[in-house]
Amino acid sequence: MRNIIRAEIITIGDEILFGHILDTNTRWIGNELTSIGLLPVRKSSVGDNREDILRALRESFGHADVVIVTGGLGPTRDDITKQVLCEFFDTRLVIHPDALALVTGFFARRGRELTELNRKQAELPANAAYLANKWGTAPGMWFEKDGKVLVSLPGVPFEMKNLMEHTVLPRLKRRFPTGSIIHKTIRTIGIGESFLADRIAGWETALPPHIRLAYLPSFSGVKLRLTGTGTDDGLLTRQLEEEAARVLPLIEQFVYGYGDDEIEETTGRLLTEKNATLSTAESCTGGFLAHKITGIPGSSAYFTGSVVSYANEIKMNVLGVRKETLDAYGAVSEQTAREMADGVRRLTGTTYALATTGIAGPGGATAEKPVGTVWIACSSAQRTVTSLLKLSPFRDVNIEQAAMHAPRLARQFLA
Amino acid sequence: MRNIIRAEIITIGDEILFGHILDTNTRWIGNELTSIGLLPVRKSSVGDNREDILRALRESFGHADVVIVTGGLGPTRDDITKQVLCEFFDTRLVIHPDALALVTGFFARRGRELTELNRKQAELPANAAYLANKWGTAPGMWFEKDGKVLVSLPGVPFEMKNLMEHTVLPRLKRRFPTGSIIHKTIRTIGIGESFLADRIAGWETALPPHIRLAYLPSFSGVKLRLTGTGTDDGLLTRQLEEEAARVLPLIEQFVYGYGDDEIEETTGRLLTEKNATLSTAESCTGGFLAHKITGIPGSSAYFTGSVVSYANEIKMNVLGVRKETLDAYGAVSEQTAREMADGVRRLTGTTYALATTGIAGPGGATAEKPVGTVWIACSSAQRTVTSLLKLSPFRDVNIEQAAMHAPRLARQFLA
């Protein structure tokens, strides 16, 4: 039985608590702790308030083996983390000579005098080990008590990350040698969470106890994350690969990638392999499809451009959609989607083209075509395929989902 | 003396705890609770683990007046929030008829059968008040005990936000009347936080103590949020208007709107007033500018479309940019931006046109044109204006900021 090392993360600062800045530190720290085999069990944020910080320290240090605290180490009046840590560990602040030398050097290199406020940054609680911060002025601190570790780091992401990578993580790894935790994520699109769960229920039930499954739903499909815990990285990796191979036949038509693969990325790789190019003609997605495709660095190798034909005149004059088609079937129709895709492909001379036309909402719906009705088309010189989507009542959801389903259609077309 | 209502937020789910997705919910919830006069004092995240959830509930409900819990309400096996809430509030799950009707309808509209798993979504703890979720299948829950309130909501941001806005926030406001808190937000673009602070330092110092100022910087510019607290909504509103009028002359050229106004919206209103139309030609923004413009419902009244000319061939063949221009100045140049804007305006027959061309990164930089170099242009039949942006080393930041500065240029052009 593995020894589980529980970790908690505490973020200190009004700016995060009140939601004025987005906390990206704890996500990063959680990932890194997991990677060295610690188990993050809780993250919390409190403001620059003595009682709230003390309570968070008490509650976290009481339950976890490792506590990482970030923030509140600046020189200004509102930063009180060091004083509260002194209170919590029953000690007092003393000037640390190495910290003082580092801060003095930091300002000297910038040609500035050391102020009294800066000098305070070299003060550390007497029982803390000093963690040199070469990337800023606030030192890190390492406390040990009752077999547990508490680390206090500056909240500036760049300084925190460097301190973690170069000092804290290697030290934690030595202090708490643990087993392995390995993740494997399977990305699906076009099937809801509960339908997915029904399909793979038998496989899920048969998973061994050291491999856990999580469903991560979002606009862009449902991700299945397998987490294996054990002692042997290689063995775990093989076991996760085996489980992924076992579940694949049950859901193959919905799987578009693994790990961090985005659907635009896997589609882009397919195009690159085939030495092919792509263009898009967009009505309801209004440029969002091209935006997703061009979000991938290097996409200019296979993506030439898009015509966002919001007005029917552009559909006709730029893309060559026929007036008769628009009159007979309307702008939101299989026929229009088909002519848009063919038109942009001819206009831009690409191997393939994608088109979207639909009613994003809130306006524009009819009895036969409610909000959320979207036609997508994928065209090559040989053939054109189309797909009807019945999405949601909500404009932003419809735009986002249509822009996901279009590359999904391209992927099927290309495969 | 106002009564302080302390609020805590608990996020449940391995995916946030393990850092696989970025938690944007708690930031949003923190902002909204503050806006109705509650004081957020702590946020925490725990995994899908019974003991950790119970401990977080105990610790938060013990110290706060209001606890908002999100996540863990899906129909699959790993979602255990409802069972743990039953344990915490000493009750059991029962089918709620309204919830069952809503879930049944949700699937019927999509032409699908209700599975046993979906049926479970209509189960609620017996002592919870039911909060109808019209945006998904997992209902919200409202618990009251010892004069305190705990609300449990789905973790899907779109569902959570709608439930908060339409149900939870109005209900919390009635349950905990806290006096008046009025906000007024002034939106700026094109000036950094510290330069803004320097410009308005005198005004800021003279603000009365019951009116506080917050700087909310983001990719899309810096927002100044004034928060007034007191007992009289009307009086506070007048005082905030007076302060906003007082600061405006100091920063007028950077202000593009108030409150929730997006720059695309204020530009759209200007176009509508002038009975004018707009088209765009995009290179580095890759469709994101058209996406932002078409994100505004009703934008089809003034926006006809966009040509995303990622490849130089499209710039020449569709937009009519001259080969000599591209050869002499390059695709990222004032001259090309100008010809792109003129070209798309003529192609689509609009009153005005916007163009973007730049080096989003990571590739494509030269010594004279580093990553982040972007030219934007705004054109009418009479004249064309251009603007050079020197943005960041980061692709996503450059795309987003260029797509903000283009309507900013249009606004100046139109004003």
Short mmCIF file of all heavy atoms in Angstrom, two decimals, chain A residues 133-152:
data_model
loop_
_atom_site.label_atom_id
_atom_site.label_comp_id
_atom_site.label_asym_id
_atom_site.label_seq_id
_atom_site.Cartn_x
_atom_site.Cartn_y
_atom_site.Cartn_z
N ASN A 133 15.55 33.58 -3.63
CA ASN A 133 14.76 33.96 -4.79
C ASN A 133 15.64 34.82 -5.70
O ASN A 133 15.84 36.00 -5.45
CB ASN A 133 13.51 34.73 -4.33
CG ASN A 133 12.68 35.24 -5.50
OD1 ASN A 133 13.00 35.00 -6.67
ND2 ASN A 133 11.61 35.95 -5.18
N LYS A 134 16.14 34.20 -6.76
CA LYS A 134 17.03 34.94 -7.67
C LYS A 134 16.24 35.73 -8.70
O LYS A 134 16.78 36.39 -9.55
CB LYS A 134 17.95 33.96 -8.40
CG LYS A 134 19.08 33.44 -7.51
CD LYS A 134 19.85 32.32 -8.19
CE LYS A 134 19.28 30.96 -7.77
NZ LYS A 134 20.03 29.81 -8.32
N TRP A 135 14.92 35.63 -8.65
CA TRP A 135 14.07 36.21 -9.68
C TRP A 135 13.26 37.40 -9.17
O TRP A 135 12.43 37.94 -9.87
CB TRP A 135 13.16 35.13 -10.24
CG TRP A 135 13.95 33.94 -10.72
CD1 TRP A 135 14.50 33.78 -11.96
CD2 TRP A 135 14.35 32.80 -9.95
NE1 TRP A 135 15.19 32.61 -12.02
CE2 TRP A 135 15.13 31.98 -10.81
CE3 TRP A 135 14.15 32.37 -8.63
CZ2 TRP A 135 15.68 30.76 -10.38
CZ3 TRP A 135 14.69 31.17 -8.22
CH2 TRP A 135 15.45 30.38 -9.08
N GLY A 136 13.50 37.79 -7.91
CA GLY A 136 12.74 38.89 -7.35
C GLY A 136 13.31 39.25 -6.00
O GLY A 136 14.46 38.90 -5.69
N THR A 137 12.52 39.94 -5.18
CA THR A 137 13.07 40.43 -3.91
C THR A 137 12.50 39.74 -2.68
O THR A 137 13.04 39.90 -1.59
CB THR A 137 12.83 41.95 -3.77
OG1 THR A 137 11.43 42.19 -3.92
CG2 THR A 137 13.58 42.73 -4.83
N ALA A 138 11.42 38.98 -2.82
CA ALA A 138 10.82 38.32 -1.65
C ALA A 138 11.32 36.89 -1.55
O ALA A 138 11.06 36.09 -2.44
CB ALA A 138 9.30 38.35 -1.76
N PRO A 139 12.05 36.52 -0.49
CA PRO A 139 12.54 35.15 -0.37
C PRO A 139 11.42 34.15 -0.11
O PRO A 139 10.37 34.51 0.41
CB PRO A 139 13.49 35.21 0.83
CG PRO A 139 13.09 36.40 1.60
CD PRO A 139 12.45 37.36 0.65
N GLY A 140 11.68 32.87 -0.47
CA GLY A 140 10.78 31.81 -0.08
C GLY A 140 11.16 31.28 1.30
O GLY A 140 12.26 31.55 1.81
N MET A 141 10.24 30.56 1.94
CA MET A 141 10.49 30.02 3.29
C MET A 141 10.02 28.58 3.37
O MET A 141 9.00 28.24 2.78
CB MET A 141 9.71 30.84 4.32
CG MET A 141 10.22 32.24 4.50
SD MET A 141 8.97 33.29 5.28
CE MET A 141 8.18 33.99 3.83
N TRP A 142 10.76 27.77 4.13
CA TRP A 142 10.44 26.33 4.28
C TRP A 142 10.35 26.05 5.77
O TRP A 142 11.32 26.22 6.50
CB TRP A 142 11.54 25.53 3.61
CG TRP A 142 11.46 24.04 3.76
CD1 TRP A 142 11.69 23.31 4.89
CD2 TRP A 142 11.17 23.08 2.72
NE1 TRP A 142 11.55 21.97 4.63
CE2 TRP A 142 11.23 21.80 3.30
CE3 TRP A 142 10.86 23.18 1.37
CZ2 TRP A 142 11.01 20.63 2.57
CZ3 TRP A 142 10.64 22.02 0.64
CH2 TRP A 142 10.70 20.76 1.24
N PHE A 143 9.16 25.65 6.23
CA PHE A 143 8.96 25.32 7.64
C PHE A 143 8.73 23.82 7.79
O PHE A 143 8.07 23.21 6.95
CB PHE A 143 7.71 26.02 8.20
CG PHE A 143 7.74 27.52 8.14
CD1 PHE A 143 7.34 28.22 7.00
CD2 PHE A 143 8.17 28.25 9.24
CE1 PHE A 143 7.35 29.60 6.97
CE2 PHE A 143 8.19 29.65 9.21
CZ PHE A 143 7.78 30.32 8.06
N GLU A 144 9.27 23.23 8.87
CA GLU A 144 8.94 21.83 9.17
C GLU A 144 8.42 21.76 10.61
O GLU A 144 8.96 22.40 11.51
CB GLU A 144 10.19 20.94 9.06
CG GLU A 144 10.76 20.90 7.66
CD GLU A 144 11.06 19.47 7.18
OE1 GLU A 144 10.63 18.50 7.86
OE2 GLU A 144 11.70 19.34 6.13
N LYS A 145 7.38 20.98 10.81
CA LYS A 145 6.83 20.81 12.16
C LYS A 145 5.98 19.54 12.17
O LYS A 145 5.20 19.31 11.23
CB LYS A 145 5.95 22.02 12.52
CG LYS A 145 5.63 22.11 14.01
CD LYS A 145 4.73 23.29 14.29
CE LYS A 145 4.28 23.27 15.73
NZ LYS A 145 3.25 24.29 16.01
N ASP A 146 6.13 18.71 13.19
CA ASP A 146 5.35 17.48 13.33
C ASP A 146 5.41 16.60 12.07
O ASP A 146 4.39 16.02 11.66
CB ASP A 146 3.87 17.78 13.64
CG ASP A 146 3.72 18.72 14.83
OD1 ASP A 146 4.60 18.69 15.71
OD2 ASP A 146 2.73 19.49 14.85
N GLY A 147 6.57 16.56 11.42
CA GLY A 147 6.70 15.73 10.23
C GLY A 147 6.03 16.30 9.00
O GLY A 147 5.91 15.61 7.98
N LYS A 148 5.56 17.54 9.10
CA LYS A 148 4.89 18.17 7.96
C LYS A 148 5.71 19.35 7.45
O LYS A 148 6.53 19.89 8.19
CB LYS A 148 3.51 18.68 8.39
CG LYS A 148 2.61 17.56 8.84
CD LYS A 148 1.36 18.11 9.49
CE LYS A 148 0.38 16.97 9.74
NZ LYS A 148 -1.00 17.44 9.63
N VAL A 149 5.43 19.74 6.21
CA VAL A 149 6.17 20.83 5.60
C VAL A 149 5.22 21.93 5.15
O VAL A 149 4.16 21.65 4.59
CB VAL A 149 6.97 20.31 4.38
CG1 VAL A 149 7.53 21.47 3.55
CG2 VAL A 149 8.10 19.40 4.83
N LEU A 150 5.58 23.18 5.43
CA LEU A 150 4.85 24.32 4.88
C LEU A 150 5.85 25.21 4.15
O LEU A 150 6.90 25.55 4.69
CB LEU A 150 4.15 25.11 6.00
CG LEU A 150 3.24 26.25 5.53
CD1 LEU A 150 2.03 26.38 6.45
CD2 LEU A 150 3.97 27.58 5.42
N VAL A 151 5.53 25.54 2.90
CA VAL A 151 6.40 26.38 2.08
C VAL A 151 5.66 27.66 1.75
O VAL A 151 4.50 27.61 1.33
CB VAL A 151 6.81 25.65 0.78
CG1 VAL A 151 7.70 26.54 -0.07
CG2 VAL A 151 7.50 24.33 1.08
N SER A 152 6.31 28.80 1.95
CA SER A 152 5.70 30.09 1.62
C SER A 152 6.48 30.73 0.47
O SER A 152 7.71 30.84 0.53
CB SER A 152 5.72 30.99 2.86
OG SER A 152 5.43 32.32 2.51
#
